[in-house]
Amino acid sequence: MNVTLAIAKRELAALFVSPTAYLVIGIFAFVTALFFMTVLVPGQPAEMRWVFIYVVWLLVFIAPAISMRTFSEEFASGSIEMLLTSPVSDAQIVIGKWLGAFGFYAAMLSPLVVQIVVLFLFARPDYGPIFTGLVGLLLVGGFFLAVGVFVSAMSDSQLVSFLVTTLITGTLAIGVYSFATEPSLPEWLRSGLYYVNISEHYSAFAKGLIDATNVVYFVSATALFLFLGVKLIESRRWR
């Protein structure tokens, strides 16, 4: 566990010295501020629901930008060889990388906390949906970052990692919904597409509900991609 945390700290520190990371934080803060301006409208309900939903769509691009360097940069620089030859398991490497990226992601959400404080100062929102919405964002972000770590373990190009991860997260968050609403598809197929649709699972959190089914979906999907990432690193170790 100590080794995993050490890798996570190393990854987190590397992210905070990267200019790209600060660009990501700046974009996130600016765009979410624009979303928040739609909330503070006289006569409209004071809630963060739609801000959170918009953030999920924004994470389609933000999460890949955070995770694209996790392994791709190591491959490009050649430092991965030192990491793979150290007395550290592949699972510890992958989970440590993911934890570091997740720590950065959690810090990146701080502008939302500021917006929530402002909302409570000027209005009386329901704290329940705000709390569950934030929990849901942590789960969605963890899942997207796991996808990014898995994809990053495939390539030494950060650009390729970013594009492929964006394609996967975009399909799960937006693209699948378009197919799920297609009336010509069989009912069983539409039901399956609805189930893998991330926006559908997150909507319950945005409404103030924590359903075990949705939690299991995000946790199991995150675990799946981390497991696949471990298998990719194992394959590289034996090449």
Side-chain angles (χ1 to χ4, degrees), residues 147-165:
V147 174
V149 169
F150 162 69
V151 174
S152 184
M154 293 181 180
S155 172
D156 60 0
S157 170
Q158 293 189 45
L159 178 59
V160 171
S161 297
F162 173 82
L163 293 175
V164 174
T165 305

Side-chain angles (χ1 to χ4, degrees), residues 12-30 62 65-66 68-69 104 107-108 111:
L12 184 60
L15 279 167
F16 272 109
V17 299
S18 169
T20 303
Y22 286 98
L23 177 62
V24 168
I25 293 176
I27 292 173
F28 181 83
F30 176 73
I62 294 293
I66 297 173
M68 65 182 182
R69 64 169 302 282
F104 179 86
M108 188 192 70

Side-chain angles (χ1 to χ4, degrees), residues 50-132:
W50 284 106
V51 174
F52 290 158
I53 290 175
Y54 294 149
V55 167
V56 170
W57 297 342
L58 181 61
L59 289 180
V60 167
F61 306 97
I62 294 293
I66 297 173
S67 61
M68 65 182 182
R69 64 169 302 282
T70 48
F71 281 106
S72 296
E73 186 175 70
E74 300 268 15
F75 295 147
S77 65
S79 59
I80 189 65
E81 298 301 328
M82 183 175 64
L83 192 59
L84 293 180
T85 54
S86 62
V88 183
S89 71
D90 297 321
Q92 288 175 319
I93 295 173
V94 171
I95 294 174
K97 291 276 189 181
W98 175 79
L99 282 175
F102 186 78
F104 179 86
Y105 167 71
M108 188 192 70
L109 293 180
S110 55
L112 291 180
V113 177
V114 175
Q115 294 168 16
I116 291 169
V117 171
V118 171
L119 190 63
F120 273 96
L121 289 176
F122 292 94
R124 293 185 177 181
D126 186 351
Y127 66 87
I130 292 177
F131 172 75
T132 59

Side-chain angles (χ1 to χ4, degrees), residues 56 59 98 102 105 109 132-146 198 201-202 205 210-212 214-222:
V56 170
L59 289 180
W98 175 79
F102 186 78
Y105 167 71
L109 293 180
T132 59
L134 288 173
V135 171
L137 286 182
L138 290 175
L139 290 171
V140 173
F143 175 31
F144 282 0
L145 291 173
I198 288 175
H201 285 281
Y202 180 76
F205 290 97
I210 296 182
D211 189 297
N214 298 323
V215 174
V216 169
Y217 169 82
F218 286 116
V219 172
S220 59
T222 300

